[in-house]
Amino acid sequence: MSNDYVVGDLGAVLSHQMFRALGDPTRVRLVDLLAGRCRACSVSELAECLDVDLSVVSRHLALLRAAGVLRAAKTGRTVLYEIQYDAVAEALRGIADTLDRAREDFAASASCPAPTGNGKEQPQ
């Protein structure tokens, strides 16, 4: 086994918040809209493109922001949202790198130890 991978690494890089945020079709559409516009947008601009109430769009944006997918900046009375490209790319790159290390470790090991304690034989 390589020295780089430690059991639990994958759990450390998998953000349940990010996956929850990106697991909803409306939120994915919002991220897609922001990426397509190539600029920060307000809630009302984004709501115009969706068949969803402004308050629902606002809640979706808040969840994406809490997950680190978006950032918000207030300009006067308007809040503008934009994608945190570097943070999202870094999180996804971390997941990919950890999976690569785990795959290499799996390929290098003869077998993984079976869990103990239940008395049942593990499938091969």
Side-chain angles (χ1 to χ4, degrees):
M1 230 184 223
S2 82
N3 294 332
D4 295 302
Y5 181 76
V6 178
V7 175
D9 275 0
L10 193 56
V13 297
L14 287 172
S15 165
H16 74 281
Q17 266 191 312
M18 181 177 288
F19 279 96
R20 179 177 173 230
L22 296 173
D24 179 90
T26 301
R27 289 191 286 271
V28 170
R29 179 75 177 119
L30 285 166
V31 172
D32 188 42
L33 285 168
L34 284 166
R37 295 214 172 169
C38 300
R39 63 179 176 82
C41 295
S42 69
V43 176
S44 58
E45 286 179 285
L46 294 166
E48 289 174 5
C49 300
L50 300 171
D51 191 23
V52 181
D53 282 348
L54 188 77
S55 63
V56 174
V57 171
S58 184
R59 283 195 303 267
H60 282 305
L61 292 169
L63 202 147
L64 287 163
R65 183 178 177 205
V69 176
L70 302 180
R71 78 171 57 92
K74 194 166 186 173
T75 333
R77 292 179 47 183
T78 304
V79 178
L80 298 175
Y81 292 88
E82 65 181 319
I83 300 170
Q84 293 199 87
Y85 291 102
D86 291 341
V88 174
E90 184 179 328
L92 294 175
R93 194 171 295 111
I95 292 167
D97 291 348
T98 303
L99 286 170
D100 284 344
R101 286 193 305 273
R103 181 185 59 223
E104 290 166 4
D105 290 348
F106 178 78
S109 69
S111 66
C112 291
T116 59
N118 64 4
K120 295 182 181 179
E121 189 175 316
Q122 297 295 315
Q124 296 293 323

